[in-house]
Amino acid sequence: MSQSIQALVGRIRSEDASDAERRRTAARMMTIIEDEPFRIVELIQAVITEEDAHSKLVVGVTGPSGSGKSTLTDAVVSEFRKRNSNGCVGVVAVDPSSPFTGGAILGDRIRMMKHTTDPGVFIRSLASRGHLGGLSLGTSGVSRVMQLIGCDPLIIETVGVGQNEVEILELADLVVVVQSPGAGDSTQMLKAGLLEIGDVFVVNKSDLPGAEDVHSQLRSMIELRRECGSGREPVLAVPICAHTGKGVAELVDLLSRLAEENQSLWRERRAAQMRDEVRHVILETATGLLREGVDEQTLVRRVLEQGEALEEVSRDLVARAAEEIKRHHGS
Amino acid sequence: MSHKTRILIGKPGLDGHDRGAKYISQVLRDAGFEVIYTGIRRTPEEIVEAAVQEDVQAIGISLLSGSHIEMFARILALLNEKGATDIVVFGGGTIPSGDAEKLKKSGVAAVFTPGTPAKEIVEKVRNLVSNS
Ligand SMILES: Nc1nc2c(ncn2[C@@H]2O[C@H](COP(=O)(O)OP(=O)(O)OP(=O)(O)O)[C@@H](O)[C@H]2O)c(=O)[nH]1
Ligand SMILES: [Mg+2]
């Protein structure tokens, strides 16, 4: 597993790599980054000087469990492929890991199987691996590999979300929130952080009773938000039936138009995003180092039983880590 | 860091009985594996391409119909074509013991017949992927 990311990037870009080899190498790189998310740094280093290592459109698809995110993604992929038969569409789909066994059944891909043998589509399923927030730690790295092999647009499907899984904001240019009839009333929508992260809202399963109600509830909540004047101004798409494809062309029109309009804005955002990704892994790695060889129970006892100040205990911990590092690197 | 073993489960063939495939998926999930479940009526082409994109360590094929010999042969050939022979292939279902032997000779790493205890399946699969 200690293959160099840089070498793999080179292999993907090499003129004499076959298409099959390129795909396999990309898939391998995704596994490496999934297992060791901090290695996204190597990937960023390998592409940092390039303007176009980023797709023009990264769409996040989120919403309650079972609202039809995967089925809708499948339909959206078909529409994008219809419009551009030369390009490559990427999908990263995250499903939850079992908190009990750490295992997972990843079932998003099953809704998109018809694209499997299309050489212009690359789909990767990820398990959340205990990470909260709707994605896995490795998702940002895997998305970068997708973009490296030219997937544009790239679609990222989050786990089915409740209220606090809003990490997708950091990765996507546009966040699409998928609702469907039978998934709670408007108060629940109001409570959910989802309302605050959506750029585009869409009601799926328009063939089912109640779809219109959800649609009009969403419309009034979006109007309310507009009156509050707080930040993002979400757009309501026409209702969709992902099964039949009704409304999907309109959604893709909307996404493409927003991408066009916002390209220069997003370009700036991407630079910040890259720095954020690196900042994340620095902190993650530091936390890991801090924990190394520390008896956390002793720390807990110092706070609970000996009444030491939290600040005091934390400072000790950092000081101890600093000592340790000095010793290791002999300075 | 946290390396996880990823396994693809698919069911080729025309019949729609996915009980076996779902059962094995859950058994493997409960044993801590990450299972990419691809559902019924899959072609060998779909199974192999999905396995490459998902970079799985193993493919598990559930089969009820009589076409197992050709089906496995095609999957193994495609893996070979894509330079992905490091992916382990195992199978399960109502496969006559004579055929099971033939399959093993042709490169299928294990064949589980109905009634194989879950524990035995998990142990065998764990062995297969740790040697690959
Ligand atoms: N009636 C109807 N059912 C749909 C439609 N789209 C999806 N479904 C069904 O809704 C169920 C869930 O669909 P998925 O696409 O798996 O939903 P999801 O949001 O990806 O689910 P998770 O990933 O588990 O959160 C499936 O049974 C789909 O067949 C639609 O337009 N109409
Ligand atoms: Mg899904």
Side-chain angles (χ1 to χ4, degrees):
Chain A
M1 269 295 165
S2 57
Q3 260 167 313
S4 118
I5 296 272
Q6 204 180 357
L8 293 177
V9 171
R11 198 58 211 148
I12 283 175
R13 296 201 160 153
S14 144
E15 295 278 328
D16 54 68
S18 70
D19 225 42
E21 189 192 346
R22 202 166 282 136
R23 290 162 88 80
R24 196 152 155 69
T25 308
R28 213 10 83 75
M29 203 183 333
M30 292 176 191
T31 306
I32 293 176
I33 283 196
E34 222 197 331
D35 288 343
E36 303 175 304
F38 61 89
R39 294 186 66 183
I40 191 177
V41 171
E42 290 168 56
L43 183 54
I44 290 179
Q45 283 165 339
V47 301
I48 195 159
T49 53
E50 296 158 35
E51 273 282 301
D52 276 339
H54 208 294
S55 304
K56 290 202 174 57
L57 176 59
V58 179
V59 182
V61 176
T62 192
S65 196
S67 58
K69 298 179 291 298
S70 304
T71 315
L72 182 137
T73 300
D74 174 69
V76 165
V77 170
S78 299
E79 185 64 27
F80 273 118
R81 287 294 291 146
K82 206 166 85 191
R83 293 180 187 201
N84 181 8
S85 53
N86 296 321
C88 180
V89 179
V91 177
V92 179
V94 190
D95 264 334
S97 299
S98 157
F100 303 106
T101 64
I105 293 183
L106 309 177
D108 290 326
R109 174 183 269 277
I110 199 172
R111 315 271 182 222
M112 315 174 195
M113 279 308 282
K114 68 164 165 291
H115 299 296
T116 298
T117 50
D118 177 351
V121 178
F122 199 112
I123 300 170
R124 179 68 174 225
S125 318
L126 304 179
S128 64
R129 299 195 177 178
H131 187 68
L132 305 173
L135 303 172
S136 72
L137 270 184
T139 306
S140 56
V142 170
S143 304
R144 284 206 175 271
V145 179
M146 285 272 180
Q147 300 183 50
L148 181 75
I149 58 171
C151 294
D152 199 358
L154 170 63
I155 304 175
I156 305 173
E157 179 188 339
T158 73
V159 303
V161 296
Q163 314 201 334
N164 285 314
E165 294 90 345
V166 298
E167 242 173 25
I168 186 66
L169 258 185
E170 292 175 22
L171 286 192
D173 300 318
L174 285 176
V175 175
V176 177
V177 176
V178 184
Q179 295 280 5
S180 67
D185 65 7
S186 62
T187 317
Q188 273 162 311
M189 280 190 226
L190 196 61
K191 279 200 303 190
L194 282 184
L195 208 61
E196 290 154 70
I197 66 165
D199 298 293
V200 173
F201 286 83
V202 60
V203 177
N204 183 36
K205 310 194 187 183
S206 63
D207 54 312
L208 295 185
E212 269 170 45
D213 287 347
V214 183
H215 187 74
S216 55
Q217 280 173 6
L218 271 175
R219 173 185 319 224
S220 53
M221 303 188 71
I222 287 171
E223 272 161 17
L224 206 65
R225 260 200 95 60
R226 208 165 277 150
E227 282 164 32
C228 294
S230 35
R232 298 160 96 92
E233 284 220 352
V235 184
L236 183 60
V238 299
I240 278 181
C241 176
H243 275 167
T244 60
K246 187 165 170 272
V248 173
E250 287 88 336
L251 177 62
V252 169
D253 283 340
L254 176 61
L255 297 177
S256 306
R257 178 170 63 76
L258 291 171
E260 193 107 325
E261 288 171 6
N262 291 297
Q263 216 38 240
S264 56
L265 186 77
W266 291 350
R267 207 165 295 135
E268 280 164 39
R269 209 159 76 183
R270 277 168 199 146
Q273 206 176 37
M274 198 178 258
R275 287 193 295 272
D276 264 350
E277 281 168 9
V278 177
R279 190 175 53 83
H280 269 305
V281 289
I282 292 175
L283 290 181
E284 286 283 336
T285 311
T287 313
L289 282 179
L290 269 182
R291 287 201 153 129
E292 230 166 67
V294 167
D295 177 7
E296 293 180 7
Q297 283 312 317
T298 309
L299 300 180
V300 173
R301 267 199 298 279
R302 282 174 60 187
V303 173
L304 283 185
E305 290 166 22
Q306 292 152 33
E308 274 188 66
L310 206 49
E311 170 104 8
E312 183 87 6
V313 176
S314 312
R315 272 184 201 288
D316 274 4
L317 183 59
V318 174
R320 198 202 59 87
E323 279 300 312
E324 194 75 3
I325 289 166
K326 247 191 225 154
R327 213 157 48 82
H328 268 298
H329 299 282
S331 73
Chain B
M1 295 283 299
S2 64
H3 170 69
K4 286 266 173 199
T5 299
R6 294 159 55 87
I7 298 177
L8 182 138
I9 299 292
K11 187 186 170 308
L14 293 179
D15 68 287
H17 300 285
D18 57 356
R19 206 170 170 281
K22 283 186 169 154
Y23 170 78
I24 186 82
S25 298
Q26 283 178 42
V27 163
L28 293 173
R29 191 260 318 266
D30 292 344
F33 293 101
E34 290 181 356
V35 178
I36 292 111
Y37 180 63
T38 58
I40 55 172
R41 303 201 178 96
R42 298 279 80 104
T43 64
E45 284 75 12
E46 287 174 326
I47 288 172
V48 169
E49 181 55 32
V52 166
Q53 291 178 18
E54 300 288 358
D55 192 32
V56 294
Q57 272 177 272
I59 297 176
I61 297 298
S62 160
L63 261 185
L64 289 174
S65 51
S67 58
H68 26 263
I69 301 272
E70 305 87 79
M71 205 58 95
F72 278 104
R74 181 85 186 115
I75 288 172
L76 291 168
L78 284 167
L79 283 171
N80 198 20
E81 232 169 71
K82 302 211 183 212
T85 46
D86 53 315
I87 299 178
V88 174
V89 178
F90 64 92
T94 47
I95 297 169
S97 58
D99 283 0
E101 282 315 307
K102 262 188 234 157
L103 288 173
K104 282 187 200 159
K105 281 209 187 83
S106 74
V108 176
V111 175
F112 303 109
T113 46
T116 312
K119 200 165 152 254
E120 195 180 317
I121 298 177
V122 167
E123 258 164 38
K124 182 77 193 175
V125 170
R126 204 167 263 151
N127 254 325
L128 290 175
V129 295
S130 69
N131 293 334
S132 77

